[in-house]
CSV table of all heavy atoms in Angstrom, one decimal:
chain,number,residue,atom,x,y,z
I,432,GLN,N,-166.7,-75.5,-91.6
I,432,GLN,CA,-167.4,-76.6,-91.1
I,432,GLN,C,-166.5,-77.6,-90.2
I,432,GLN,O,-166.9,-78.1,-89.2
I,432,GLN,CB,-168.0,-77.4,-92.2
I,432,GLN,CG,-169.0,-76.6,-93.0
I,432,GLN,CD,-169.6,-77.4,-94.2
I,432,GLN,OE1,-169.2,-78.6,-94.4
I,432,GLN,NE2,-170.4,-76.8,-95.1
I,433,LEU,N,-165.3,-77.7,-90.7
I,433,LEU,CA,-164.3,-78.6,-90.0
I,433,LEU,C,-164.0,-78.0,-88.6
I,433,LEU,O,-164.0,-78.7,-87.6
I,433,LEU,CB,-163.0,-78.7,-90.8
I,433,LEU,CG,-161.9,-79.5,-90.2
I,433,LEU,CD1,-162.3,-81.0,-90.2
I,433,LEU,CD2,-160.6,-79.3,-90.9
I,436,ALA,N,-167.1,-78.4,-86.3
I,436,ALA,CA,-167.4,-79.8,-85.9
I,436,ALA,C,-166.4,-80.3,-84.9
I,436,ALA,O,-166.8,-80.8,-83.8
I,436,ALA,CB,-167.3,-80.7,-87.2
I,437,PHE,N,-165.1,-80.0,-85.1
I,437,PHE,CA,-164.1,-80.4,-84.1
I,437,PHE,C,-164.2,-79.6,-82.8
I,437,PHE,O,-164.0,-80.1,-81.7
I,437,PHE,CB,-162.7,-80.3,-84.7
I,437,PHE,CG,-162.3,-81.5,-85.4
I,437,PHE,CD1,-162.5,-81.6,-86.8
I,437,PHE,CD2,-161.6,-82.5,-84.8
I,437,PHE,CE1,-162.1,-82.7,-87.5
I,437,PHE,CE2,-161.2,-83.6,-85.5
I,437,PHE,CZ,-161.4,-83.7,-86.8
I,452,ILE,N,-164.0,-90.9,-83.0
I,452,ILE,CA,-165.2,-90.8,-83.8
I,452,ILE,C,-164.8,-90.4,-85.2
I,452,ILE,O,-165.2,-90.9,-86.3
I,452,ILE,CB,-166.2,-89.9,-83.2
I,452,ILE,CG1,-166.7,-90.5,-81.9
I,452,ILE,CG2,-167.4,-89.7,-84.2
I,452,ILE,CD1,-167.3,-91.8,-82.0
I,453,ALA,N,-163.9,-89.4,-85.3
I,453,ALA,CA,-163.5,-88.9,-86.6
I,453,ALA,C,-162.7,-89.9,-87.4
I,453,ALA,O,-163.0,-90.1,-88.6
I,453,ALA,CB,-162.6,-87.6,-86.4
I,456,THR,N,-165.3,-93.1,-88.4
I,456,THR,CA,-166.2,-92.8,-89.4
I,456,THR,C,-165.5,-92.7,-90.8
I,456,THR,O,-166.0,-93.1,-91.8
I,456,THR,CB,-167.0,-91.5,-89.1
I,456,THR,OG1,-166.1,-90.5,-88.8
I,456,THR,CG2,-167.9,-91.8,-87.9
I,457,THR,N,-164.4,-92.0,-90.8
I,457,THR,CA,-163.6,-91.9,-92.0
I,457,THR,C,-163.1,-93.3,-92.5
I,457,THR,O,-163.3,-93.6,-93.7
I,457,THR,CB,-162.4,-91.0,-91.8
I,457,THR,OG1,-162.8,-89.7,-91.4
I,457,THR,CG2,-161.6,-90.8,-93.1
I,489,THR,N,-162.7,-88.9,-99.6
I,489,THR,CA,-163.4,-87.6,-99.3
I,489,THR,C,-162.6,-86.7,-98.4
I,489,THR,O,-163.0,-85.5,-98.3
I,489,THR,CB,-164.7,-88.0,-98.5
I,489,THR,OG1,-164.4,-88.7,-97.3
I,489,THR,CG2,-165.6,-88.8,-99.4
I,490,GLY,N,-161.5,-87.1,-97.8
I,490,GLY,CA,-160.8,-86.2,-97.0
I,490,GLY,C,-161.5,-86.0,-95.6
I,490,GLY,O,-162.1,-86.9,-95.0
I,491,PRO,N,-161.4,-84.7,-95.1
I,491,PRO,CA,-162.0,-84.4,-93.8
I,491,PRO,C,-163.5,-84.4,-93.8
I,491,PRO,O,-164.1,-84.3,-92.7
I,491,PRO,CB,-161.4,-83.1,-93.4
I,491,PRO,CG,-161.1,-82.4,-94.7
I,491,PRO,CD,-160.7,-83.5,-95.7
I,492,SER,N,-164.2,-84.4,-95.0
I,492,SER,CA,-165.6,-84.2,-95.0
I,492,SER,C,-166.3,-85.3,-94.3
I,492,SER,O,-167.4,-85.2,-93.6
I,492,SER,CB,-166.1,-84.0,-96.4
I,492,SER,OG,-165.8,-85.1,-97.2
I,493,ALA,N,-165.8,-86.6,-94.5
I,493,ALA,CA,-166.5,-87.7,-93.8
I,493,ALA,C,-166.4,-87.6,-92.3
I,493,ALA,O,-167.3,-87.9,-91.5
I,493,ALA,CB,-165.8,-89.0,-94.3
I,494,ALA,N,-165.2,-87.1,-91.8
I,494,ALA,CA,-165.1,-86.9,-90.3
I,494,ALA,C,-166.0,-85.8,-89.8
I,494,ALA,O,-166.6,-85.9,-88.7
I,494,ALA,CB,-163.6,-86.5,-90.0
I,495,VAL,N,-166.2,-84.8,-90.6
I,495,VAL,CA,-167.1,-83.7,-90.2
I,495,VAL,C,-168.5,-84.2,-90.1
I,495,VAL,O,-169.2,-83.9,-89.1
I,495,VAL,CB,-167.0,-82.5,-91.2
I,495,VAL,CG1,-168.0,-81.5,-90.9
I,495,VAL,CG2,-165.6,-81.9,-91.1
I,496,VAL,N,-168.9,-84.9,-91.1
I,496,VAL,CA,-170.3,-85.5,-91.1
I,496,VAL,C,-170.5,-86.5,-90.0
I,496,VAL,O,-171.5,-86.5,-89.3
I,496,VAL,CB,-170.6,-86.2,-92.5
I,496,VAL,CG1,-171.9,-86.9,-92.4
I,496,VAL,CG2,-170.6,-85.1,-93.6
I,497,GLY,N,-169.4,-87.3,-89.7
I,497,GLY,CA,-169.5,-88.2,-88.6
I,497,GLY,C,-169.6,-87.6,-87.3
I,497,GLY,O,-170.4,-88.0,-86.4
I,498,LEU,N,-168.8,-86.5,-87.1
I,498,LEU,CA,-168.9,-85.8,-85.8
I,498,LEU,C,-170.2,-85.2,-85.5
I,498,LEU,O,-170.8,-85.2,-84.5
I,498,LEU,CB,-167.7,-84.8,-85.7
I,498,LEU,CG,-166.3,-85.4,-85.6
I,498,LEU,CD1,-165.3,-84.3,-85.6
I,498,LEU,CD2,-166.2,-86.2,-84.3
I,499,PHE,N,-170.7,-84.5,-86.5
I,499,PHE,CA,-172.0,-83.8,-86.4
I,499,PHE,C,-173.1,-84.8,-86.1
I,499,PHE,O,-174.0,-84.6,-85.3
I,499,PHE,CB,-172.3,-83.0,-87.6
I,499,PHE,CG,-171.8,-81.6,-87.6
I,499,PHE,CD1,-171.0,-81.1,-88.7
I,499,PHE,CD2,-172.0,-80.8,-86.5
I,499,PHE,CE1,-170.5,-79.8,-88.7
I,499,PHE,CE2,-171.4,-79.5,-86.5
I,499,PHE,CZ,-170.7,-79.0,-87.6
I,500,THR,N,-173.1,-85.9,-86.9
I,500,THR,CA,-174.1,-86.9,-86.7
I,500,THR,C,-174.0,-87.6,-85.3
I,500,THR,O,-175.1,-87.8,-84.6
I,500,THR,CB,-174.0,-88.0,-87.8
I,500,THR,OG1,-174.1,-87.4,-89.1
I,500,THR,CG2,-175.1,-89.0,-87.7
I,501,TYR,N,-172.8,-87.9,-84.8
I,501,TYR,CA,-172.7,-88.5,-83.5
I,501,TYR,C,-173.1,-87.5,-82.4
I,501,TYR,O,-173.8,-87.9,-81.5
I,501,TYR,CB,-171.2,-88.8,-83.3
I,501,TYR,CG,-170.9,-89.6,-82.0
I,501,TYR,CD1,-171.1,-90.9,-81.9
I,501,TYR,CD2,-170.5,-88.9,-80.9
I,501,TYR,CE1,-170.9,-91.6,-80.7
I,501,TYR,CE2,-170.3,-89.5,-79.7
I,501,TYR,CZ,-170.4,-90.9,-79.6
I,501,TYR,OH,-170.2,-91.5,-78.4
I,502,LEU,N,-172.8,-86.3,-82.6
I,502,LEU,CA,-173.3,-85.3,-81.6
I,502,LEU,C,-174.8,-85.2,-81.6
I,502,LEU,O,-175.4,-85.0,-80.5
I,502,LEU,CB,-172.7,-83.9,-81.9
I,502,LEU,CG,-171.2,-83.7,-81.5
I,502,LEU,CD1,-170.7,-82.4,-82.1
I,502,LEU,CD2,-171.0,-83.8,-80.0
I,503,ALA,N,-175.4,-85.2,-82.8
I,503,ALA,CA,-176.8,-85.1,-82.9
I,503,ALA,C,-177.5,-86.3,-82.2
I,503,ALA,O,-178.6,-86.2,-81.6
I,503,ALA,CB,-177.3,-85.0,-84.3
I,511,VAL,N,-179.8,-80.6,-85.9
I,511,VAL,CA,-178.4,-80.8,-86.3
I,511,VAL,C,-178.4,-82.1,-87.2
I,511,VAL,O,-177.7,-82.2,-88.2
I,511,VAL,CB,-177.5,-80.9,-85.1
I,511,VAL,CG1,-176.1,-81.3,-85.6
I,511,VAL,CG2,-177.5,-79.6,-84.4
I,512,PHE,N,-179.1,-83.1,-86.7
I,512,PHE,CA,-179.2,-84.4,-87.5
I,512,PHE,C,-179.7,-84.2,-88.9
I,512,PHE,O,-179.2,-84.7,-89.9
I,512,PHE,CB,-180.0,-85.4,-86.7
I,512,PHE,CG,-180.0,-86.8,-87.4
I,512,PHE,CD1,-178.9,-87.7,-87.3
I,512,PHE,CD2,-181.1,-87.1,-88.2
I,512,PHE,CE1,-179.0,-88.9,-87.9
I,512,PHE,CE2,-181.1,-88.4,-88.8
I,512,PHE,CZ,-180.1,-89.2,-88.7
I,514,LEU,N,-179.8,-81.4,-90.6
I,514,LEU,CA,-178.9,-80.6,-91.4
I,514,LEU,C,-177.6,-81.3,-91.9
I,514,LEU,O,-177.0,-81.0,-92.9
I,514,LEU,CB,-178.4,-79.3,-90.7
I,514,LEU,CG,-179.5,-78.3,-90.3
I,514,LEU,CD1,-179.0,-77.2,-89.5
I,514,LEU,CD2,-180.2,-77.8,-91.6
I,515,THR,N,-177.2,-82.4,-91.2
I,515,THR,CA,-176.0,-83.1,-91.5
I,515,THR,C,-176.4,-84.4,-92.2
I,515,THR,O,-176.1,-84.6,-93.4
I,515,THR,CB,-175.2,-83.4,-90.3
I,515,THR,OG1,-176.0,-84.1,-89.3
I,515,THR,CG2,-174.7,-82.1,-89.7
I,516,GLY,N,-177.1,-85.3,-91.5
I,516,GLY,CA,-177.4,-86.6,-92.1
I,516,GLY,C,-178.4,-86.4,-93.3
I,516,GLY,O,-178.3,-87.1,-94.3
I,517,GLY,N,-179.4,-85.6,-93.1
I,517,GLY,CA,-180.4,-85.4,-94.2
I,517,GLY,C,-179.7,-84.7,-95.4
I,517,GLY,O,-180.1,-85.1,-96.6
I,518,SER,N,-178.8,-83.8,-95.2
I,518,SER,CA,-178.1,-83.2,-96.4
I,518,SER,C,-177.3,-84.2,-97.1
I,518,SER,O,-177.1,-84.2,-98.3
I,518,SER,CB,-177.3,-82.0,-95.9
I,518,SER,OG,-176.3,-82.4,-95.0
I,519,MET,N,-176.7,-85.2,-96.4
I,519,MET,CA,-175.8,-86.2,-97.0
I,519,MET,C,-176.7,-87.1,-97.8
I,519,MET,O,-176.3,-87.6,-98.9
I,519,MET,CB,-175.0,-87.0,-96.0
I,519,MET,CG,-173.9,-86.1,-95.3
I,519,MET,SD,-172.7,-85.5,-96.5
I,519,MET,CE,-173.2,-83.8,-96.6
I,520,VAL,N,-177.9,-87.5,-97.3
I,520,VAL,CA,-178.8,-88.3,-98.1
I,520,VAL,C,-179.2,-87.6,-99.4
I,520,VAL,O,-179.3,-88.2,-100.5
I,520,VAL,CB,-180.0,-88.7,-97.2
I,520,VAL,CG1,-181.0,-89.4,-98.0
I,520,VAL,CG2,-179.6,-89.6,-96.0
I,522,GLU,N,-177.6,-85.3,-100.9
I,522,GLU,CA,-176.4,-85.2,-101.8
I,522,GLU,C,-176.2,-86.5,-102.6
I,522,GLU,O,-175.9,-86.5,-103.8
I,522,GLU,CB,-175.2,-84.9,-101.0
I,522,GLU,CG,-173.9,-84.9,-101.8
I,522,GLU,CD,-172.6,-84.8,-101.0
I,522,GLU,OE1,-172.8,-84.7,-99.7
I,522,GLU,OE2,-171.5,-85.0,-101.5
I,530,ALA,N,-168.0,-90.1,-103.3
I,530,ALA,CA,-168.0,-89.3,-102.0
I,530,ALA,C,-169.4,-89.3,-101.3
I,530,ALA,O,-169.4,-89.4,-100.1
I,530,ALA,CB,-167.6,-87.8,-102.4
I,531,GLY,N,-170.5,-89.3,-102.1
I,531,GLY,CA,-171.8,-89.3,-101.4
I,531,GLY,C,-172.0,-90.6,-100.7
I,531,GLY,O,-172.6,-90.7,-99.6
I,533,GLU,N,-169.6,-92.6,-99.4
I,533,GLU,CA,-168.8,-92.6,-98.3
I,533,GLU,C,-169.4,-91.7,-97.1
I,533,GLU,O,-169.3,-92.1,-96.0
I,533,GLU,CB,-167.4,-92.1,-98.6
I,533,GLU,CG,-166.6,-93.1,-99.5
I,533,GLU,CD,-165.2,-92.7,-99.7
I,533,GLU,OE1,-164.8,-91.6,-99.2
I,533,GLU,OE2,-164.5,-93.3,-100.5
I,534,HIS,N,-170.0,-90.6,-97.5
I,534,HIS,CA,-170.7,-89.8,-96.5
I,534,HIS,C,-171.8,-90.6,-95.9
I,534,HIS,O,-172.0,-90.5,-94.6
I,534,HIS,CB,-171.2,-88.5,-97.1
I,534,HIS,CG,-170.1,-87.6,-97.5
I,534,HIS,ND1,-170.2,-86.6,-98.4
I,534,HIS,CD2,-168.8,-87.5,-97.1
I,534,HIS,CE1,-169.1,-85.9,-98.6
I,534,HIS,NE2,-168.2,-86.5,-97.8
I,535,LEU,N,-172.6,-91.3,-96.7
I,535,LEU,CA,-173.7,-92.1,-96.1
I,535,LEU,C,-173.2,-93.2,-95.1
I,535,LEU,O,-173.7,-93.4,-94.1
I,535,LEU,CB,-174.5,-92.7,-97.2
I,535,LEU,CG,-175.4,-91.8,-98.0
I,535,LEU,CD1,-176.1,-92.6,-99.1
I,535,LEU,CD2,-176.4,-91.1,-97.1
I,536,ILE,N,-172.0,-93.8,-95.5
I,536,ILE,CA,-171.5,-94.8,-94.6
I,536,ILE,C,-171.0,-94.1,-93.3
I,536,ILE,O,-171.1,-94.7,-92.2
I,536,ILE,CB,-170.3,-95.5,-95.3
I,536,ILE,CG1,-170.9,-96.3,-96.5
I,536,ILE,CG2,-169.6,-96.5,-94.4
I,536,ILE,CD1,-171.9,-97.3,-96.2
I,537,ALA,N,-170.4,-93.0,-93.4
I,537,ALA,CA,-170.0,-92.2,-92.2
I,537,ALA,C,-171.1,-91.9,-91.3
I,537,ALA,O,-171.1,-92.0,-90.1
I,537,ALA,CB,-169.2,-91.0,-92.6
I,538,VAL,N,-172.3,-91.5,-91.9
I,538,VAL,CA,-173.5,-91.2,-91.1
I,538,VAL,C,-174.0,-92.5,-90.4
I,538,VAL,O,-174.3,-92.4,-89.2
I,538,VAL,CB,-174.5,-90.6,-92.1
I,538,VAL,CG1,-175.9,-90.5,-91.3
I,538,VAL,CG2,-174.1,-89.2,-92.5
I,539,ALA,N,-174.0,-93.6,-91.2
I,539,ALA,CA,-174.5,-94.8,-90.6
I,539,ALA,C,-173.6,-95.3,-89.4
I,539,ALA,O,-174.0,-95.7,-88.4
I,539,ALA,CB,-174.6,-95.9,-91.6
I,541,ALA,N,-171.7,-93.3,-87.5
I,541,ALA,CA,-171.8,-92.4,-86.4
I,541,ALA,C,-173.1,-92.7,-85.7
I,541,ALA,O,-173.2,-92.7,-84.4
I,541,ALA,CB,-171.8,-91.0,-86.9
I,542,ILE,N,-174.2,-93.0,-86.4
I,542,ILE,CA,-175.5,-93.4,-85.7
I,542,ILE,C,-175.3,-94.6,-84.9
I,542,ILE,O,-175.7,-94.7,-83.7
I,542,ILE,CB,-176.6,-93.6,-86.8
I,542,ILE,CG1,-176.9,-92.2,-87.4
I,542,ILE,CG2,-177.8,-94.2,-86.1
I,542,ILE,CD1,-177.9,-92.4,-88.5
Side-chain angles (χ1 to χ4, degrees):
Q432 296 177 5
L433 179 72
F437 273 89
I452 297 300
T456 52
T457 302
T489 57
S492 59
V495 171
V496 173
L498 288 175
F499 274 129
T500 304
Y501 184 84
L502 285 172
V511 176
F512 181 81
L514 293 177
T515 55
S518 63
M519 291 302 103
V520 173
E522 175 192 353
E533 291 186 1
H534 290 161
L535 287 181
I536 297 300
V538 169
I542 292 175

